[in-house]
Each structure stands twice: as structure tokens, then as C-alpha cells.
């Protein structure tokens, strides 16, 4: 019997939002040490949750399933139900029986009538304790089917100076692969851009010291090594790997059973600040990044079901998968990563290659809040890739003015929040894009640009909260929301009002307000505080800086418009040349040669 999905339980190191794993009525107890549930008589547990429901429609549409079973392990007398949740109509109880669960003998339910094309909706289990005590120790959805061939999956991690994180991740992966039934088909690659992690080689792990060419260079190296190793699939993932290891099991089996050879699996992302809310369940790109199902409350079954229905339907042609967890077939790769260094390389990779991207319920990575990571440097990097996507890909093609609006919008968002240093970095990004694709080859390690942007940042650098003047003065911020919105737009947040620094508000804003313009409206001085509320920084309105930037933005727009057609042609040609296997083999030749020598020496020593 082939496991499709194991039931997942809360893990202290990953997520302890219990309602993402089960819903309970009555005095249901969960043991963290044994990963088991105790149900006294009359209590009920429901596994209709983000981590444990089974998306029948998605598995049937994407995979060859001729049989389907549910299994439950435990002991005690219970009523076992299986509910099929349908979109836009009543849900059905498709199985309801009284059973005496026995330790060591999983209770199996044949659901094969629901396998195959045309069967949609979601399946989940409910258990009601009828005996004095029911213990549940596990569950799964499984099939008697077998794939035509087993994929060989390279799990490629790129890391830079995060030695402890990557060592923990590798240790977790090695432990998982030893126990995983198909662990012999998976291998871990650690591309070490800092050359400092000192990961020992083993039969499950291959370390690759690499020059620091950012995430793009690291993942390009990982893909080259996967191709060289004869793997059929590759999985790009972050070095901190904050996810349940079941991610790998579900992804591997889904890829093994997939009908379309172009099938790729994109892991969702949840913000560590609020682990009950979806941040991005896949995303599409058009002018900007549009995360799907952002804000879905994963504690609520109806919201989770709605999200799963939506992800089963046809998706946008510009859907992309983040490289915190992205598994894809190597044969479908026609373009290797573009040397963006970081930011946008994952978007570009999905757009350039013919992947059929799928998300799977429960396959998710927990990440730090992207808002906290925002800086002048990340905004520089974001604007570069946004412009280049529109220059390269025909499906995103816009006029010169239409493309320039992206840069103008980026800069105005910064300037209206008095983040003039960020706007300077964004203007630099626009100028760098206008230098053509050769700029990216010549600055592939980004060392000069990183240093230059760092030198720009003075006001927007985080400082201890004790040294900041966090006094508030709120007058204009008390306006009704709609009035304040229009006031902010038509006055350019006070930049058109004389003496605004004297009369505008002094506001203290939380990290959640940092990436949004509206909370800044009405302010003349803004203090931003981080999540821990131990650091912050202060920015103040400056008409001189605002109008200086606005003038340079205008002159850049004129130059961009004049050169647009030539620039577009150059990027389309350059993109094709700089995303080839041979480009990266040449770029990383010294690193790869050194790795080959190291492996030969290791073999001789052995």
C-alpha cells in the first residue's frame, strides 16, 4: 500500500496552532511526546483541517489513482465518519460505521469509488468516542496503485553564513530519509555560498562549496549538480527548512503519480508572526506579485475548503512557485536561473519554463515576516526583477509608459512614506536595468552594488528603541478613513502643504504598517517599530529630497521611453543567453572543478 498523505500532528519547533491539525469537541487530549490523541466517551475529533484533509479533486485531476483507502490507527470503540465536502452544494457523509480499533492493526476504509477522473471535493475523517477511552495514534490516505517509474529527487539547499540553521536542516533531512520508505530515491545537496557550513558528505548528503552569487547562483549550481547526477527532479528549498518533513513525502508521491510530466509542486508559505494565516498559497505575477489566498484563516474549515476548491481550478498562466520549497522535473527546464543574485529569480524561473505548478494541502514552509526583511537593498532588487520580467516575457509585455509605471509606483510608495533612501536605491535599480543584461553578468556577485546601497542608508537603519524619540502627535490621523485617503493622495502626504513638518502628525507605526502607504498618511514624522518592539527607526518629511527625486524620476522616464524598444530586444536576447546550462557551467567552472577534485581525494582516502 502506497501512502499518499500521513496525518500530521503539531510540532513545537514548527507550529503549535492545534486547529490547523484537528478540531475537537469535548475533552480531547493531545500528547506532544507520543503524537497521539486521547478521546473520552462522547468526545469528537475532526481532521477536516489544512494539514489533514485530502483534496480529492486535485489528486484525481493530477494523478493516476485507481484505488483509494483511508486508515486509522489506535484503540477503543468509536464511530468513524468520512465526509466529502463539495464546492457549492451540501456536504455528504460517505462513510459512517462503528468500529473497535485494535493496537497494531490499522482500521482500513475502502474509498476506491471516489478515485479517478470526475470525483472532486475534499475528504476528511471524524471520530466519536463510544467506549470509555479511545486513543488515536495515526492515520493516512493510501492507494494500492504504483507509479510507472520512481522519480529520483535532488533536494537542493542554498545557504550563506547560516551555519547552525543549515546543519539542523540537514540533520532533520537525514533522519527523515533513513525512515522514509522511498528515501533511497532522494539525495540532499547543500550549496554553501559562504564556504563556511562544513557539512560532512555522506551517502545522503553532498556539500558543494560555491562562490557567493546569491540565491540565483546557488540554485543554478544545485540544478547543474542534479543534472550531472542523473536526477529526474529537483527541489529548491531554504536552509532553515521550517516545515514538517511530511512536505517531502507528499511532494515525492505526488510527483511519482503525476500524469503530466511537467508537474511541479510549489510549497505554500505561512508567516511566523501569525501561524494560523496563509501568506501565499502560490502566487501570480502581473505588474507586481499577487499572493493567492493571502489572509485565509487556516483554523476555519470553511475558509480552508474554499481555498482548496480555488487551487483545484485552472490557475493563472503567470503562476510561480517560491524557492523556499519548489520541486520540478528537470526535463522541463529550458531556462536555468537568471543571475538576479536574489529576488525575482524564482518568478523568472517559473515564467520561463513549461511547468504545471500545483500546490498540495499541508505542504507549506513557515517563514519570517517579509515586511521585517524590507530594506533599501530588497526594494532595489525587487524593482529590478519587476521591470525585467516585463521586458523579457511576451505574455507580460506592456508599452514603455506601462512598464515605467511599475518603477514610478515603487518609488512613490517609498517617497510618500518619507523613505527617500529606499527611493534612491529604487532609482538606482531603474538606471541599472537600463544598462542592459550585460550589467547583470558584470555585477553577478552584487558586491559593488550592495556596498553602494549600504552607504545610502542612514535614516532607515534599525536602532535600539531607547535612543528614539517615539512621542506621538495625532491630528490629521483622526480624519475619517476615506477623507484621510484622499487627503494623502492629493497633497502627496503633505509634500504640497507649506510648513507640514510643523503641523503634520508624529506617528509610531508597527511593523505590519511598514510596507503600506495608508498608515503614513497624515504624518510628517514616522517612527517604525519592529515586532519585538526593541528596535526602530525614524523618517521625516523633506520637500527638498522629495522633489529632487521626483525630477530625476521624470528625466529617467524620458530616457527609458526613448530606449525602450532597444532595451526590450536586448533583454530578450540576453535572457536566453544567460539562462543556459553552458552559461552557468562557465560561470561556476572553478567551483565545480574544485568540487570534482575534492570528491576524487575523498574517494582515494576511502
Amino acid at each position: 500500500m502506497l501512502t499518499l498523505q500521513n496525518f500530521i500532528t503539531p510540532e513545537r519547533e514548527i507550529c503549535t496552532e492545534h486547529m490547523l491539525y484537528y478540531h475537537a469537541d469535548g475533552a480531547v487530549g493531545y500528547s506532544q511526546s507520543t503524537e497521539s490523541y486521547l478521546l473520552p466517551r462522547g468526545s469528537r475529533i475532526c481532521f477536516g483541517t489544512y494539514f489533514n484533509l485530502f483534496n480529492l479533486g486535485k489528486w484525481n485531476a493530477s494523478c493516476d489513482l485507481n484505488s483509494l483507502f483511508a486508515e486509522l490507527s489506535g484503540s477503543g470503540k468509536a464511530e468513524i465518519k468520512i465526509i466529502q465536502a463539495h464546492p457549492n452544494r451540501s456536504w455528504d457523509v460517505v462513510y459512517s460505521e462503528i468500529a473497535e480499533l485494535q493496537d497494531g492493526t490499522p482500521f482500513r476504509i475502502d474509498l476506491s469509488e471516489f478515485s479517478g477522473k470526475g470525483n472532486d471535493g475534499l475528504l476528511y475523517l471524524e471520530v466519536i468516542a463510544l467506549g470509555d477511552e479511545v486513543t488515536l495514534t495515526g492515520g493516512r490516505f493510501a492507494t494500492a496503485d504504483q507509479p510507472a517509474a520512481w522519480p529520483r529527487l535532488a533536494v537542493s539547499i542554498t545557504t550563506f553564513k547560516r551555519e547552525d540553521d543549515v546543519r539542523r536542516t540537514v540533520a532533520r533531512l537525514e533522519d527523515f530519509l533513513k525512515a522514509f520508505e522511498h528515501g533511497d530515491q532522494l539525495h540532499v545537496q547543500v550549496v554553501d555560498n559562504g564556504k563556511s557550513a562544513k557539512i560532512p558528505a555522506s551517502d545522503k548528503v553532498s556539500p558543494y562549496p560555491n562562490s557567493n552569487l546569491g540565491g540565483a547562483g546557488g540554485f543554478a549550481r544545485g540544478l547543474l549538480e542534479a543534472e550531472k547526477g542523473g536526477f529526474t527532479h529537483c527541489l529548491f528549498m531554504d536552509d532553515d527548512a521550517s516545515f514538517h518533513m511530511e512536505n517531502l513525502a507528499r511532494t515525492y508521491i505526488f510527483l511519482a503519480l503525476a500524469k503530466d510530466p511537467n508537474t511541479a509542486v510549489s510549497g505554500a508559505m505561512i508567516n511566523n508572526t501569525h501561524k494560523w494565516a496563509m501568506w501565499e498559497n502560490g502566487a501570480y505575477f502581473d505588474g507586481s506579485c499577487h499572493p493567492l489566498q493571502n489572509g485565509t484563516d487556516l483554523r476555519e474549515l470553511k475558509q480552508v475548503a474554499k481555498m482548496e476548491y480555488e487551487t483545484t481550478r485552472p490557475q493563472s498562466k503567470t503562476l510561480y512557485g517560491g524557492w523556499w520549497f519548489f520541486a520540478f522535473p528537470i526535463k522541463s527546464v529550458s531556462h536555468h536561473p537568471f543571475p538576479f543574485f536574489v529576488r525575482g529569480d524564482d518568478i523568472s524561473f517559473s515564467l520561463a519554463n513549461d511547468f504545471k505548478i500545483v500546490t498540495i494541502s499541508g505542504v507549506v514552509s513557515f517563514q519570517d515576516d517579509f515586511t521585517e526583511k524590507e530594506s533599501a537593498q530588497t526594494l532595489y532588487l525587487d524593482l529590478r526583477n519587476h521591470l525585467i520580467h516585463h521586458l523579457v516575457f511576451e505574455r507580460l509585455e506592456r508599452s514603455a509608459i506601462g512598464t515605467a509605471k511599475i518603477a514610478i509606483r515603487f518609488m512613490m510608495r517609498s517617497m510618500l512614506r518619507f523613505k527617500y533612501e529606499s527611493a534612491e536605491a529604487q532609482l538606482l535599480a531603474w538606471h541599472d536595468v537600463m544598462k542592459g543584461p550585460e550589467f547583470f553578468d558584470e555585477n553577478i556577485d552584487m558586491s559593488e552594488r550592495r556596498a553602494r546601497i549600504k552607504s545610502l542608508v542612514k535614516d532607515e537603519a534599525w536602532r535600539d528603541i531607547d535612543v528614539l524619540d517615539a512621542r506621538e502627535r495625532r491630528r490629521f490621523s483622526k480624519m475619517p478613513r476615506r477623507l484621510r485617503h484622499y487627503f494623502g493622495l492629493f497633497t502627496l502626504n503633505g509634500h504640497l502643504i507649506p510648513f507640514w513638518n510643523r503641523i503634520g502628525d508624529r506617528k509610531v507605526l508597527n511593523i505590519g504598517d511598514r510596507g503600506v502607504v495608508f498608515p503614513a498618511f497624515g504624518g510628517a514624522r514616522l517612527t517604525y517599530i519592529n515586532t519585538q518592539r526593541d528596535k526602530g527607526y525614524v523618517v521625516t518629511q523633506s520637500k527638498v529630497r522629495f522633489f529632487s527625486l521626483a525630477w530625476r524620476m521624470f528625466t529617467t522616464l524620458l530616457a527609458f521611453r526613448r530606449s525602450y524598444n532597444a532595451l526590450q530586444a536586448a533583454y530578450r536576447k540576453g535572457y536566453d543567453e544567460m539562462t543556459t546550462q553552458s552559461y552557468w557551467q562557465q560561470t561556476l567552472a572553478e567551483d565545480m572543478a574544485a568540487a570534482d577534485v575534492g570528491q576524487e581525494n575523498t574517494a582515494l582516502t576511502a
Side-chain angles (χ1 to χ4, degrees), residues 496-550:
L496 299 180
I497 298 179
F499 309 111
W500 180 250
N501 273 333
R502 298 183 184 178
I503 60 176
D505 289 351
R506 295 184 173 188
K507 305 173 72 171
V508 177
L509 301 174
N510 294 322
I511 194 69
D513 297 323
R514 186 168 174 235
V516 187
V517 175
F518 178 77
F521 282 168
R525 172 188 169 120
L526 308 173
T527 302
Y528 289 98
I529 307 295
N530 69 351
T531 300
Q532 286 74 32
R533 303 190 71 79
D534 60 350
K535 292 187 181 297
Y537 62 84
V538 179
V539 289
T540 306
Q541 190 213 74
S542 168
K543 291 180 172 58
V544 171
R545 297 176 77 178
F546 180 90
F547 288 107
S548 171
L549 280 162

Side-chain angles (χ1 to χ4, degrees), residues 128-150:
I128 299 174
L130 300 179
D132 289 338
E133 188 176 280
V134 172
T135 301
L136 301 179
T137 56
R140 67 171 180 163
F141 288 95
T143 183
D145 303 321
Q146 295 290 316
W150 290 105

Side-chain angles (χ1 to χ4, degrees), residues 241 315 345 373 442 566:
Q315 300 296 302
D345 38 13
K373 297 178 183 178
E442 294 165 1

Side-chain angles (χ1 to χ4, degrees), residues 58-110:
K58 187 175 294 182
W59 280 87
N60 278 330
S62 299
C63 300
D64 275 321
L65 287 185
N66 298 307
S67 61
L68 180 65
F69 301 88
E71 284 188 356
L72 200 60
S73 298
S75 61
K77 189 176 183 179
E79 178 187 13
I80 300 172
K81 291 181 180 179
I82 294 183
I83 290 89
Q84 182 179 16
H86 303 281
N88 304 317
R89 61 189 177 94
S90 297
W91 297 4
D92 295 324
V93 178
V94 298
Y95 180 91
S96 181
E97 293 292 343
I98 296 169
E100 189 72 44
L101 300 178
Q102 302 289 336
D103 277 333
T105 306
F107 183 80
R108 181 175 296 171
I109 304 162
D110 189 346

Side-chain angles (χ1 to χ4, degrees), residues 266-341:
S266 173
M269 198 266 271
I270 291 175
N271 185 317
N272 275 326
T273 306
H274 299 295
K275 292 188 175 184
W276 50 266
M278 178 59 68
W279 181 266
E280 177 178 311
N281 194 23
Y284 71 92
F285 182 87
D286 185 10
S288 61
C289 302
H290 301 271
L292 297 175
Q293 286 85 44
N294 177 265
T296 296
D297 189 336
L298 300 175
R299 299 167 298 187
E300 299 291 333
L301 175 54
K302 287 186 177 180
Q303 290 195 39
V304 172
K306 181 176 182 288
M307 178 180 73
E308 288 299 308
Y309 299 150
E310 289 177 358
T311 63
T312 306
R313 301 183 183 111
Q315 300 296 302
S316 168
K317 290 182 179 180
T318 59
L319 186 72
Y320 68 89
W323 281 357
W324 49 79
F325 192 97
F326 186 68
F328 57 91
I330 292 174
K331 278 189 177 180
S332 299
V333 175
S334 58
H335 289 80
H336 284 232
F338 185 80
F340 281 115
F341 192 77

